[in-house]
């Protein structure tokens, strides 16, 4: 590369790194945590809400979660294609941060309303419909928000910063959520849940769940609007989109955007399925979410029926999330020193060990159970703290290898993780409860308690064992490899800038 191109390359890399400041990382993390807070209503309480408040049978609940998970997964793909092909007024990515959150809020709020005037079949359709549509629109703003990361960061260190701030923000809000949400629900409902839980829960009605969903949803809309304002100018398509919108408003004929700037559907799929690190990373994240959602879905059942104190669910979740928050701070320097790959593998290994321990000794006492689950969360948040950096590295690898990529589509595949996991965990827990003879409001027995402990521990243990093997052999993007990729991409960008400058001269 020429001296002039080399100098330009240094400027390009410096500009990209200077964009990823600690302040930007903090704002990004604060923005993303509001969706986490709102979505916690679904992951923590929806299974329980469907059976104990709406009165659906466990197998029906599992079917609802299975169908909605598959439906949401399908619509994530549609959302990604729309984002890649349809560039709205304020930019390909940025526009969706303004449009999608309010629609998501309205739809998902309806899943925490008990349509008591409907029979069980109609209630099932109600829940499936609103959950899928709400999940569809949530895909737009989450794909947009995560697609910004590989755009503004080109080094593993910068991706680690953004990834860790997102994870730390998410864990902080989970700590607060776990501490206040269940007590708030109980206070609003004016009742204390006890064993047997079924009758008491159904008499309580949906009020506490509905009010909390409204509060968290309003905050979500507000904070995504703040994020929309903060990344003004960072979406590389924003200027083009706004100029085109202004021209249309003046009545001018606007030609289609150059097809070369967009990947077609075939290219999107090709870039993804031939990118082994992206596929393995996706698989590992699905595994993590299956384990996490199994624990979250089963927690209230375990404390209500196995340990006889449902209020301890809030204690456990608070402890788990504090442990997870600590894990994100511990994993950050480790990821910077040893790299994302080693840190992620360490997280899988830690979670596997504690899941196995929980399976073996978790039923011996409530505090033993809580400690084991906290250990699983510690490991999962080693993984979570590096997740966005991991997938951004995979996108950089694909761009380095192919010379072109479809960021929104590849980033969208990681939005599949909670959708697919929700379906799998919902089916496993719903039918698992049915297999051990669970009926809402039944008398707690030692056999029932052991069955619930087995469900909540065995599924994660198997998941983490599989994930460790797959990630160890399939994800080979080491820090040294990423340094080479970053340098090569910077060189290409410098040469492109130089050619553009020479053409304008």
């Amino acid at each position: 590369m020429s001296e002039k191109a080399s100098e330009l390359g240094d400027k390009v890399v410096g500009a990209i790194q200077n964009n990823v400041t600690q302040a930007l990382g903090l704002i990004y993390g604060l923005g993303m945590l509001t969706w986490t807070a709102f979505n916690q209503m679904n992951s923590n309480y929806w299974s329980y809400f469907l059976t104990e408040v709406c009165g659906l049978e466990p197998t029906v609940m599992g079917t609802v979660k299975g169908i909605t998970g598959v439906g949401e997964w399908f619509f994530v793909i549609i959302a990604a294609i729309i984002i890649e092909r349809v560039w709205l007024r304020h930019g390909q990515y940025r526009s969706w941060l303004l449009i999608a959150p309010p629609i998501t809020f309205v739809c998902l709020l309806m899943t925490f309303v008990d349509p008591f005037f409907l029979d069980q079949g109609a209630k099932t359709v109600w829940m499936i419909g609103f959950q899928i549509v709400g999940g569809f629109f949530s895909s737009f703003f989450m794909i947009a928000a995560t697609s910004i990361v590989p755009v503004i960061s080109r080094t593993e260190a910068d991706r680690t910063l953004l990834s860790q701030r997102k994870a730390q923000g998410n864990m902080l809000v989970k700590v607060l959520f776990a501490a206040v949400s269940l007590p708030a629900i109980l206070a609003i409902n004016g009742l204390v849940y006890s064993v047997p839980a079924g009758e008491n829960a159904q008499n309580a009605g949906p009020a506490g769940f509905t009010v909390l969903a409204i509060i968290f949803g309003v905050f979500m809309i507000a904070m995504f609007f703040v994020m929309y304002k903060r990344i003004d100018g960072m979406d590389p398509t924003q200027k083009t989109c706004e100029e085109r919108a202004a021209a249309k408003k003046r009545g001018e004929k606007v030609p289609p955007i150059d097809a070369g700037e967009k990947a077609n559907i075939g290219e999107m799929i090709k870039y993804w399925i031939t990118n082994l690190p992206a596929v393995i990373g996706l698989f590992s994240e699905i595994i993590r979410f299956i384990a996490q959602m199994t624990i979250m879905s089963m927690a209230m059942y375990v404390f209500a029926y196995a340990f006889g104190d449902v209020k301890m669910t809030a204690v456990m979740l608070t402890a788990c999330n504090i442990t997870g928050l600590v894990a994100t701070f511990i994993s950050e320097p480790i990821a910077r020193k040893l790299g994302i790959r080693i840190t992620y593998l360490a997280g899988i290994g830690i979670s596997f060990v504690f899941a196995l321990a929980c399976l073996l000794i978790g039923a011996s006492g409530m505090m033993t159970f809580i400690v084991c689950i906290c250990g699983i969360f510690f490991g999962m948040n080693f993984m979570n703290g590096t997740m966005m950096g991991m997938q951004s590295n995979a996108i950089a690898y694909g761009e380095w290898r192919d010379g072109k990529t479809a960021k929104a589509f590849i980033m969208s595949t990681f939005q599949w993780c909670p959708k697919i996991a929700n379906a799998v965990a919902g089916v496993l827990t719903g039918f698992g409860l049915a297999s051990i003879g669970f009926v809402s409001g039944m008398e707690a027995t030692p056999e029932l308690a052991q069955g619930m402990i087995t469900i909540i521990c065995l599924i994660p243990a198997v998941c983490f064992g599989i994930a460790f093997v797959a990630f160890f052999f399939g994800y080979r993007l080491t820090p040294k490899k990423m340094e080479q990729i970053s340098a090569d991409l910077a060189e290409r960008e410098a040469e492109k800038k130089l050619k553009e400058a020479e053409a304008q001269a």
Side-chain angles (χ1 to χ4, degrees):
M1 184 169 64
S2 70
E3 183 177 344
K4 185 174 181 180
S6 178
E7 181 181 349
L8 184 56
D10 292 340
K11 291 180 180 178
V12 169
V13 174
I16 293 171
Q17 291 176 335
N18 289 338
N19 280 337
V20 187
T21 61
Q22 290 287 347
L24 175 58
L26 177 62
I27 291 171
Y28 186 83
L30 289 173
M32 296 292 278
L33 70 81
T34 59
W35 164 244
T36 300
F38 186 56
N39 198 39
Q40 283 292 289
M41 291 296 298
N42 182 284
S43 58
N44 283 25
Y45 299 131
W46 200 41
S47 295
Y48 195 82
F49 183 86
L50 291 176
T51 59
E52 303 296 280
V53 177
C54 293
L56 301 185
E57 296 297 327
T59 52
V60 176
M61 176 272 288
T63 302
V64 168
K65 296 198 74 174
I67 292 173
T68 55
V70 172
E72 289 178 55
W73 166 74
F74 173 77
F75 281 110
V76 168
I77 301 173
I78 302 301
I81 293 171
I82 291 173
I83 291 174
E84 287 285 4
R85 305 295 298 174
V86 180
W87 295 7
L88 300 180
R89 177 173 183 172
H90 299 294
Q92 179 185 8
Y93 308 120
R94 182 170 173 258
S95 300
W96 295 105
L97 304 181
L98 182 66
I99 296 169
I103 303 173
T104 300
F105 164 65
V106 172
C107 292
L108 295 187
L109 177 62
M110 291 299 100
T111 66
F112 280 99
V113 172
D114 178 19
F116 60 89
F117 48 88
L118 301 176
D119 60 23
Q120 181 162 283
K123 279 186 181 182
T124 302
V125 174
W126 170 290
M127 294 298 175
I128 290 173
F130 278 114
Q131 180 70 25
I132 288 177
V133 175
F136 177 47
F137 279 95
S138 73
S139 298
F140 282 104
F141 65 78
M142 286 304 294
I143 292 170
T146 53
S147 295
I148 287 292
V149 174
V151 170
I152 65 177
S153 63
R154 292 295 180 89
T155 67
E156 184 165 276
D158 288 339
R159 294 174 195 129
T160 298
L161 171 63
L162 288 172
S163 186
Q164 291 288 351
R165 292 301 171 268
K166 174 182 179 290
Q168 289 158 3
N170 285 350
M171 291 313 303
L172 177 61
V173 79
K174 286 179 180 179
V175 170
L176 298 175
F177 183 92
V180 305
S181 60
L182 185 56
I185 289 169
L186 296 175
I188 292 168
N189 285 339
L191 292 172
V192 177
Y193 288 45
S194 62
V195 177
E199 181 181 351
N200 210 10
Q202 290 174 17
N203 288 343
F209 298 97
T210 307
V211 170
L212 243 63
I214 291 172
I215 293 171
F216 288 125
V218 169
F219 274 110
M220 177 192 71
I221 294 170
M223 286 306 300
F224 268 93
F225 178 75
V226 171
M227 190 191 299
Y228 160 82
K229 298 292 288 185
R230 179 60 182 84
I231 65 170
D232 187 11
M234 295 184 179
D235 186 331
T237 67
Q238 181 178 337
K239 183 178 179 181
T240 299
C241 291
E242 289 179 347
E243 287 175 351
R244 289 169 58 82
K248 286 182 179 179
K249 189 174 181 180
R250 294 191 299 267
E252 299 174 9
K253 186 176 181 180
V254 180
I257 295 175
D258 180 9
E261 297 183 44
K262 301 179 179 181
N264 60 45
I265 296 174
E267 288 176 323
M268 294 179 208
I269 296 173
K270 174 188 173 184
Y271 295 148
W272 171 58
I273 63 175
T274 61
N275 188 330
L276 182 61
V279 173
I280 292 296
L282 172 68
F283 175 76
S284 300
E285 281 297 288
I286 290 173
I287 291 291
R288 176 172 72 88
F289 273 100
I290 291 173
Q292 178 177 310
M293 289 186 175
T294 298
I295 293 170
M296 305 303 273
S297 296
M298 286 295 302
M300 288 188 72
Y301 294 106
V302 170
F303 282 99
Y305 291 93
F307 297 122
D309 189 354
V310 75
K311 295 188 294 300
M312 286 300 293
T313 305
V315 175
M316 187 204 77
L317 293 177
T318 302
C320 285
N321 290 323
I322 291 173
T323 304
L325 180 61
V326 171
T328 62
F329 284 101
I330 294 175
S331 66
E332 181 173 357
I334 295 175
R336 290 182 180 277
K337 185 173 181 62
L338 300 180
I340 287 172
R341 179 177 181 271
I342 294 297
T343 307
Y344 196 90
L345 278 170
I348 302 175
I350 292 169
S351 292
F352 173 75
V353 169
F354 277 99
L356 192 60
C358 187
L359 179 64
L360 297 175
I361 62 174
S364 62
M366 185 161 56
M367 292 311 300
T368 301
F369 174 77
I370 291 174
V371 168
C372 289
I373 298 297
C374 284
I376 295 173
F377 269 69
F378 185 84
M380 285 196 298
N381 282 283
F382 259 62
M383 300 164 70
N384 186 33
T386 56
M387 181 267 290
M388 281 209 314
M390 174 188 70
Q391 67 196 62
S392 296
N393 276 355
I395 286 175
Y397 164 78
E399 187 174 0
W400 170 76
R401 185 193 63 183
D402 300 324
K404 192 175 180 182
T405 189
K407 292 182 178 69
F409 183 81
I410 295 177
M411 293 299 274
S412 79
T413 63
F414 284 83
Q415 299 302 315
W416 301 356
C417 301
K419 317 296 185 184
I420 296 174
N422 189 45
V424 175
V427 170
L428 291 175
T429 56
F431 284 86
L433 286 170
S435 71
I436 61 174
F438 171 74
V439 177
S440 179
M442 70 182 294
E443 180 183 353
T445 64
E447 293 77 19
L448 179 65
Q450 183 58 60
M452 288 184 170
I453 295 292
T454 300
I455 293 171
I456 202 172
C457 300
L458 179 61
I459 294 171
V462 172
C463 286
F464 291 125
I466 295 171
F468 188 92
V469 174
F471 198 85
F472 181 85
F473 290 104
Y475 192 94
R476 311 297 292 183
L477 297 180
T478 63
K480 184 176 180 180
K481 181 69 173 179
M482 292 313 303
E483 285 178 9
Q484 176 192 347
I485 288 172
S486 296
D488 289 348
L489 289 175
E491 181 178 349
R492 292 179 197 174
E493 188 167 358
E495 290 174 345
K496 179 181 177 181
K497 293 284 186 181
L498 180 61
K499 289 179 181 178
E500 289 175 354
E502 290 173 346
Q504 294 175 356

